[in-house]
Amino acid sequence: MGEIIGKGALALLPIIWLIVALTGLKMAGHKACVGALIITIVESLFIWKMPVVDCGTSALEGFASALWPIILVIIAAIFTYNLSLKTGAMDVIKQMLTGVSADKRVLVLLIGWCFGGFMEGMAGFGTAIAIPASMLAGMGMNPITACLVCMLANAFPTAFGSVGIPTVTLANVTGLDPLPLAFTTVVQMIPFMILVPFLMVIVGGGGVKALKGMVGITLVSGVTFVIPQLIVAKFTGPELAVIVGCVVSLGCTILMARARKGREIPAEYDMRSGQPTAGKPLDGKTAIISWLPFILIFVLLLVTSKLVPPVNSVLAHFSTSVKISTSINAGNASFSWINTPGIWIFVAAIIGGIVQKASAKVMAETLAATVKQMSKTIITIMSVLAVAKIMTYCGMINDMATFFVSITGKFYPFVAPIIAALGAFITGSGTSTEVLLGALQTSAAQQIGASEFWLAAANSTGAGIGKILSPQCIATAAAAVGLVGQDSKLLGGVIKWALLELVIACLIVGLLGGVVMPLIGV
């Protein structure tokens, strides 16, 4: 028992270092993450006795996994936005959105909650934060505020991101039926789906006073997001849950916004001030051309997804599976060379840029500037993924989780979301957290006589909260709005809300499992 506690505590050191470095020392994200990598390497070699070659090749696998597909998709998303600025398309989009409503609080719901959730459901891998945050910042919102509202929005759609991959993965590693698992996950997240839009309005509007006159539309935005998810998850599974929920929520939120058209917008929430005005009224052709890259992103990701099996299966052949890490615990790393979100986002951006009359020179210059803008973020994400791979393969993650299970016993459900949050904090990925810890959650459920579905769902709930605190997520947000190196400000801004959500999650999972599961018949 003493050895379990000792190793479990030591396994937490890289995480403790990141929290202290980012919040206490106000260190730049890329420097803090390099420090975490050094700590992890030292611990893996001298405490977990990992062979030097295994440690090096595990880090190499982390670097490769970071570059493809994560960094690829983030660069593609930010390139799409930057190119739309160059061509003037973003000015048209801003004009159209403020045409729906010029109220900052409503735009937070439309862009951060509905559109951001849609991007998570279709692509994931950072697009759901990078694109909406850059749009809100480009419309005149404080960049830090724009990041915070989009990070808050991203926590709970994560379980069904990239066409449901995290929950499908969780079902695979635990052996649970994906339909009741998806339904249980949505049920567990109902309070958060209602709460988060309110938190976004509070953060976006600068305080609780921002809710004045916004309760109705905010409630509708949350309720119409979660009800379709419940229906879709119950009858079709995890793949379409968030996508359908976002589309329905977007439509209902727009209708509510148009019903508010005649209301006066308080000056502090009016996004029209300082925005460029169009020289002529917008026509349909101009609108479609301006939105074309984003329309193409939707179409290409949909057509190439598992929802269209013939196309998806053909493209799946263009992939490589290779063993990079020499650790006996490591499997093969897989790389899809064509059918990965970053490729399709680049294709959409280039086609859209051509239609918007951007020259090859402009596109090349924009891409170069985007990569330069992302340079520190690339270091951050590569370091974090290397930490995750080393911690996983040397046994640090498993020892950390075992530590929590051994000291909590019957009260384990109260800490299940915390374990998942720690996993996502390290990996920055909902899918990776399901792979790392999903089986541990169901094993713990068997040991204490709890519902396996309920604790598996808790892994998804905790992972979403931990993801928005992860250095990878924060670096993506910072890069999207030009705040590279200011990661500590974003962590400081989001951590209090994430901790609030985590406390609520622990109470829900710990107290309500025995009540909810018999009611929903899972």
Side-chain angles (χ1 to χ4, degrees), residues 456-475:
N459 203 60
S460 297
T461 300
I465 299 169
K467 178 188 171 184
I468 66 172
L469 291 172
S470 70
Q472 178 181 313
C473 175
I474 291 170

Side-chain angles (χ1 to χ4, degrees), residues 9-355:
L10 287 171
L12 289 169
L13 278 181
I15 299 172
I16 294 169
W17 159 255
L18 283 171
I19 294 171
V20 171
L22 291 172
T23 58
L25 303 178
K26 308 295 182 184
M27 190 178 287
H30 66 290
K31 294 180 181 178
C33 290
V34 170
L37 178 56
I38 293 170
I39 293 170
T40 304
I41 290 171
V42 170
E43 285 200 302
S44 69
L45 294 176
F46 295 103
I47 298 175
W48 274 264
K49 307 300 181 184
M50 190 180 201
V52 174
V53 173
D54 289 1
C55 183
T57 53
S58 297
L60 184 61
E61 182 180 324
F63 295 152
S65 300
L67 288 169
W68 199 284
I70 298 170
I71 291 170
L72 173 72
V73 78
I74 296 169
I75 290 177
I78 297 173
F79 168 71
T80 303
Y81 174 76
N82 287 343
L83 188 59
S84 71
L85 287 177
K86 288 278 189 181
T87 62
M90 190 51 61
D91 287 335
V92 175
I93 291 172
K94 292 172 191 173
Q95 185 181 343
M96 291 178 67
L97 289 170
T98 52
V100 174
S101 176
D103 192 318
K104 179 195 300 185
R105 301 164 298 176
V106 176
L107 291 172
V108 160
L109 295 174
L110 289 172
I111 299 174
W113 179 243
C114 302
F115 182 64
F118 175 78
M119 289 304 301
E120 178 64 31
M122 289 304 305
F125 294 109
T127 55
I129 293 174
I131 292 178
S134 56
M135 289 174 70
L136 287 170
M139 295 175 72
M141 182 176 287
N142 178 287
I144 291 178
T145 303
C147 289
L148 292 179
V149 296
C150 292
M151 289 162 69
L152 282 171
N154 191 237
F156 300 100
T158 291
F160 304 103
S162 302
V163 199
I165 287 176
T167 301
V168 171
T169 301
L170 180 61
N172 288 335
V173 300
T174 59
L176 299 176
D177 187 328
L179 265 69
L181 176 59
F183 184 64
T184 303
T185 302
V186 180
V187 168
Q188 194 175 106
M189 292 182 179
I190 288 174
F192 299 102
M193 299 289 188
I194 306 299
L195 174 65
V196 168
F198 285 94
L199 296 182
M200 292 173 67
V201 170
I202 290 170
V203 173
V208 177
K209 62 177 182 176
L211 291 175
K212 184 177 181 181
M214 284 290 296
V215 172
I217 187 172
T218 307
L219 184 61
V220 166
S221 197
V223 169
T224 58
F225 188 92
V226 74
I227 290 177
Q229 282 192 70
L230 284 167
I231 296 170
V232 173
K234 176 73 173 177
F235 296 105
T236 70
E239 289 85 357
L240 284 174
V242 158
I243 296 172
V244 173
C246 290
V247 170
V248 174
S249 180
L250 180 63
C252 293
T253 306
I254 288 174
L255 289 175
M256 290 288 289
R258 291 200 176 279
R260 296 163 50 92
K261 254 318 201 185
R263 296 188 189 181
E264 183 179 348
I265 301 172
E268 61 187 312
Y269 307 128
D270 195 335
M271 296 286 280
R272 288 170 295 195
S273 58
Q275 292 295 319
T277 54
K280 57 182 180 181
L282 296 177
D283 56 41
K285 181 181 177 182
T286 302
I288 291 173
I289 289 174
S290 299
W291 279 99
L292 186 59
F294 301 100
I295 295 171
L296 288 174
I297 289 172
F298 167 65
V299 172
L300 290 172
L301 289 174
L302 181 64
V303 169
T304 58
S305 74
K306 291 182 179 180
L307 301 176
V308 186
V311 177
N312 184 267
S313 60
V314 170
L315 294 175
H317 290 96
F318 299 94
S319 62
T320 301
S321 182
V322 59
K323 187 171 173 60
I324 298 176
S325 173
T326 54
S327 170
I328 58 173
N329 297 321
N332 287 352
S334 298
F335 302 91
S336 295
W337 302 116
I338 295 178
N339 199 19
T340 189
I343 294 294
W344 299 121
I345 294 171
F346 266 123
V347 170
I350 291 168
I351 294 173
I354 291 170
V355 174

Side-chain angles (χ1 to χ4, degrees), residues 416-474:
I418 297 174
I419 292 173
L422 289 172
F425 178 84
I426 296 166
T427 65
S429 164
T431 302
S432 296
T433 306
E434 309 293 22
V435 173
L436 289 175
L437 302 172
L440 180 140
Q441 303 279 17
T442 54
S443 175
Q446 293 168 1
Q447 292 176 37
I448 64 174
S451 165
E452 292 181 57
F453 285 98
W454 187 249
L455 287 191
N459 203 60
S460 297
T461 300
I465 299 169
K467 178 188 171 184
I468 66 172
L469 291 172
S470 70
Q472 178 181 313
C473 175
I474 291 170

